[in-house]
């Protein structure tokens, strides 16, 4: 079988499971490329036999430099772009120039969609949205939707929630959360407004109110999780071709302790990116308590009781129960925000990034700790005979202690599957694609099942037509 050379741009934590999957096929050779060569070499070193056989090598690339990018793209059969989404368009342009197929795990952006005609003219497949969310969620949602529609039924309501969480035993902090990627990205996402369809009406939630909109989500009795809408899901009735649906919402899952604590941090001003001279590295040492005092308007000399009182006012917690107040202050204490000195190296010039530096230290996964992926679609269905059904489709995955995380596996493996299907000619439609079509989804679904990445369906209520 002819050798296939695959260029992998990016060497982050989701890349490993993708590489594992692709190296199963002896004809596949991978070039792992990163802006920092050492990062690419670190990932390549995990495959010593493949390196020895010449099937894996590391390379340096600057995706913002056309010559650097073209040099690698020209020599490969397919490009996997796991770099930040803002660079995908540049990667696709290079792939168009050299007529190379592309796979990404990111949502199709307007800048990417503008390249659809050029990709079709070049005859290349640009497969996107093939990770977990987006990716696995699309495939299993559309599986149910198309089955129901094929039998003459209708989807009246579609609710979908997905969360990357620490496994229960690792959720041992005030937020019930740990960062496997940028804490900045996690926190900034909480400033996004949300839009969804509810009972036929478009509902919008402003970013500052997002954590106040959470609702308990019943998936498994053992998990106290809540959900909130994620960005704009109001158009998914059209995207999934279920125009009859009057409620359509895609959202995120967190443990129930997360929203109130984060909302208090937001109200205190911790998501502020405004430069603060006292947080510059070259300034005299200071404690988090002193920073909080500045944030709540106290003078340089302050008492502990004054600080706590001022925090309650600004965080809008005066009216909550004494138990909730105590829990909040225990959380601040655990994070070190009531006393700990901030090392100069952790001061990032503004409140958001300085907080993130602290969170990433305190709330990182420790060796042997597991993460968890939890995804559930909930469908309200009316069948052709008038009977009604509530059906769920649920995925629960745990990471491997000292191995791949659940998030890495459920993003990296679907990406690898898509790559192999393109190389094998099973996915061959040119253009900017996402898993929205049965011709694309059927082989993806088949291979996901083989890998054990399965959403389990259950009917939780059924009412016969009268």
């Amino acid at each position: 079988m002819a050798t296939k050379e695959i260029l992998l741009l990016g060497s982050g934590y989701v890349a490993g499971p993708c590489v594992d999957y692709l190296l199963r096929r002896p004809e596949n050779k991978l070039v792992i490329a990163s802006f920092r060569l050492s990062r690419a070499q670190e990932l390549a070193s995990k495959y010593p036999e493949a390196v020895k056989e010449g099937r894996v090598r590391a390379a340096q690339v600057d995706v913002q430099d056309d010559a650097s990018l073209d040099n690698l793209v020209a020599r490969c059969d397919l490009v996997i772009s796991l770099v930040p989404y803002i660079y995908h368009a540049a990667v696709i342009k290079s792939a168009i120039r050299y007529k190379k197929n592309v796979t990404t795990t990111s949502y199709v952006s307007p800048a990417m969609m503008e390249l659809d005609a050029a990709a079709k003219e070049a005859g290349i497949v640009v497969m996107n949205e093939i990770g977990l969310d987006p990716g696995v969620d699309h495939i299993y949602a559309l599986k149910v939707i198309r089955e129901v529609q094929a039998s003459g039924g209708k989807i009246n309501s579609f609710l979908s929630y997905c969360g990357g969480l620490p496994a229960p035993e690792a959720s041992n902090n005030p937020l019930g959360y740990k960062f496997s990627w940028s804490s900045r990205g996690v926190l900034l996402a909480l400033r996004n407004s949300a839009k969804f369809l509810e009972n036929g009406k478009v509902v919008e939630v402003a970013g500052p109110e997002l954590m106040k909109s959470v609702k308990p989500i019943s998936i498994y009795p053992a998990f106290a999780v809540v959900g909130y809408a994620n960005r704009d899901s109001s158009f998914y009735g059209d995207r999934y071709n279920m125009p009859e649906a009057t409620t359509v919402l895609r959202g995120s899952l967190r443990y129930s302790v997360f929203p109130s604590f984060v909302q208090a941090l937001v109200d205190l001003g911790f998501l502020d990116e405004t430069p603060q001279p006292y947080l510059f590295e070259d300034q005299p040492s200071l404690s988090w308590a002193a920073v909080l005092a500045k944030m709540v308007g106290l003078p340089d000399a302050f008492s502990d009781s004054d600080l706590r009182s001022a925090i309650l006012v600004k965080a809008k917690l005066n009216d909550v129960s004494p138990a909730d107040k105590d829990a909040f202050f225990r959380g601040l204490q655990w994070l070190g925000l009531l006393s700990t000195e901030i090392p100069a190296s952790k001061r990032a010039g503004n409140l958001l990034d300085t907080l993130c530096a602290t969170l990433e230290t305190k709330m990182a996964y420790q060796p042997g700790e597991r993460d968890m992926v939890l995804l559930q679609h909930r469908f309200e269905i009316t069948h052709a005979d008038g009977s009604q059904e509530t059906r769920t489709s649920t995925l629960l995955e745990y990471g491997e202690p000292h191995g791949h995380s659940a998030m890495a596996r459920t993003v990296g493996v679907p990406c690898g599957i898509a790559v192999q299907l393109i190389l094998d000619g099973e996915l061959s439609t040119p253009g900017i694609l996402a898993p929205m079509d049965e011709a694309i989804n059927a082989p993806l679904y088949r291979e996901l099942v083989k890998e054990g990445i399965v959403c389990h369906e259950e009917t939780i209520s059924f009412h016969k037509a009268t």
Side-chain angles (χ1 to χ4, degrees), residues 2-299:
T3 297
K4 300 291 186 180
E5 183 157 308
I6 303 161
L7 172 61
L8 172 58
L9 300 173
S11 53
Y13 82 115
V14 303
C18 183
V19 174
D20 290 350
Y21 183 87
L22 293 171
L23 285 179
R24 296 179 193 174
R25 294 280 286 267
E27 72 272 20
N28 289 342
K29 296 176 65 175
L30 280 95
V31 178
I32 301 170
S34 181
F35 182 73
R36 284 185 282 184
L37 179 59
S38 60
R39 293 286 300 275
Q41 291 171 328
E42 181 182 356
L43 179 56
S45 70
K46 297 177 180 179
Y47 305 92
E49 287 301 314
V51 171
K52 184 178 179 180
E53 295 167 358
R55 296 182 59 212
V56 171
R57 69 179 179 89
Q60 194 278 334
V61 67
D62 182 354
V63 294
Q64 299 183 72
D65 179 82
D66 287 349
S68 175
L69 188 57
D70 287 355
N71 180 53
L72 292 175
V73 170
R75 292 181 281 172
C76 74
D77 294 289
L78 182 146
V79 186
I80 305 171
S81 186
L82 296 182
V83 294
Y85 77 95
I86 58 173
Y87 302 121
H88 290 328
V91 173
I92 296 169
K93 287 177 183 177
S94 179
I96 289 170
R97 286 194 287 272
Y98 294 96
K99 297 185 178 182
K100 309 296 183 179
N101 297 317
V102 181
T103 301
T104 87
T105 59
S106 301
Y107 285 104
V108 175
S109 69
M112 294 159 69
M113 200 63 216
E114 287 177 3
L115 300 171
D116 183 51
K120 288 175 179 174
E121 186 176 349
I124 67 168
V125 178
V126 183
M127 187 68 214
N128 309 282
E129 302 191 27
I130 186 58
L132 168 68
D133 178 6
V136 173
D137 57 335
H138 292 332
I139 293 164
Y140 281 98
L142 287 166
K143 174 184 178 293
V144 173
I145 292 166
R146 297 296 173 259
E147 287 174 355
V148 169
Q149 292 173 335
S151 64
K154 295 181 179 181
I155 306 294
N156 303 314
S157 171
F158 172 74
L159 301 175
S160 175
Y161 290 97
C162 183
L165 300 163
E169 75 277 7
S171 61
N172 51 354
N173 65 56
L175 277 76
Y177 193 82
K178 288 189 174 174
F179 298 102
S180 54
W181 63 294
S182 166
S183 61
R184 193 179 206 275
V186 172
L187 293 180
L188 284 180
L190 302 177
R191 299 198 315 202
N192 295 326
S193 59
K195 184 189 294 187
F196 56 93
L197 190 65
E198 185 174 54
N199 297 323
K201 296 181 179 180
V202 174
V203 177
E204 297 189 54
V205 181
E209 303 298 310
L210 190 61
M211 289 297 96
K212 298 176 184 177
S213 70
V214 299
K215 297 179 179 178
I217 305 298
S218 176
I219 298 180
Y220 292 115
F223 300 142
V225 292
V226 295
Y228 54 90
N230 186 12
R231 296 182 181 267
D232 185 0
S233 51
S234 63
F235 63 92
Y236 269 83
D238 292 332
R239 197 174 192 212
Y240 283 174
N241 193 25
M242 46 177 187
E244 67 279 6
T246 58
T247 295
V248 178
L249 185 152
R250 286 162 46 91
S252 298
L253 289 173
R254 296 290 183 262
Y255 287 122
S256 59
V257 296
F258 183 90
S260 59
F261 195 91
V262 167
Q263 184 62 54
L265 295 180
V266 171
D267 290 336
L268 282 169
F270 272 112
L271 268 59
D272 188 356
E273 297 178 83
T274 305
Q276 303 292 345
Y278 59 85
L279 290 174
F280 293 169
E281 286 187 27
D282 59 357
Q283 293 302 298
S285 62
L286 80 169
S287 67
W288 265 118
V291 171
L292 273 167
K294 292 179 183 294
M295 294 170 66
V296 298
L298 291 178

Side-chain angles (χ1 to χ4, degrees), residues 279 283-291 333 335-347 354 358 361-362:
L279 290 174
Q283 293 302 298
S285 62
L286 80 169
S287 67
W288 265 118
V291 171
Q333 189 69 56
L335 289 169
L337 300 184
L338 292 179
S339 57
T340 305
E341 183 175 309
I342 311 172
S345 61
K346 300 293 185 183
R347 289 183 233 142
T354 305
T358 294
T361 299
K362 295 285 291 185

Side-chain angles (χ1 to χ4, degrees), residues 14 17-18 21 24 408-418 448 451 453:
V14 303
C18 183
Y21 183 87
R24 296 179 193 174
R409 180 171 181 270
T410 54
V411 174
V413 170
C415 179
I417 288 172
L448 284 172
E451 298 305 312
I453 300 177

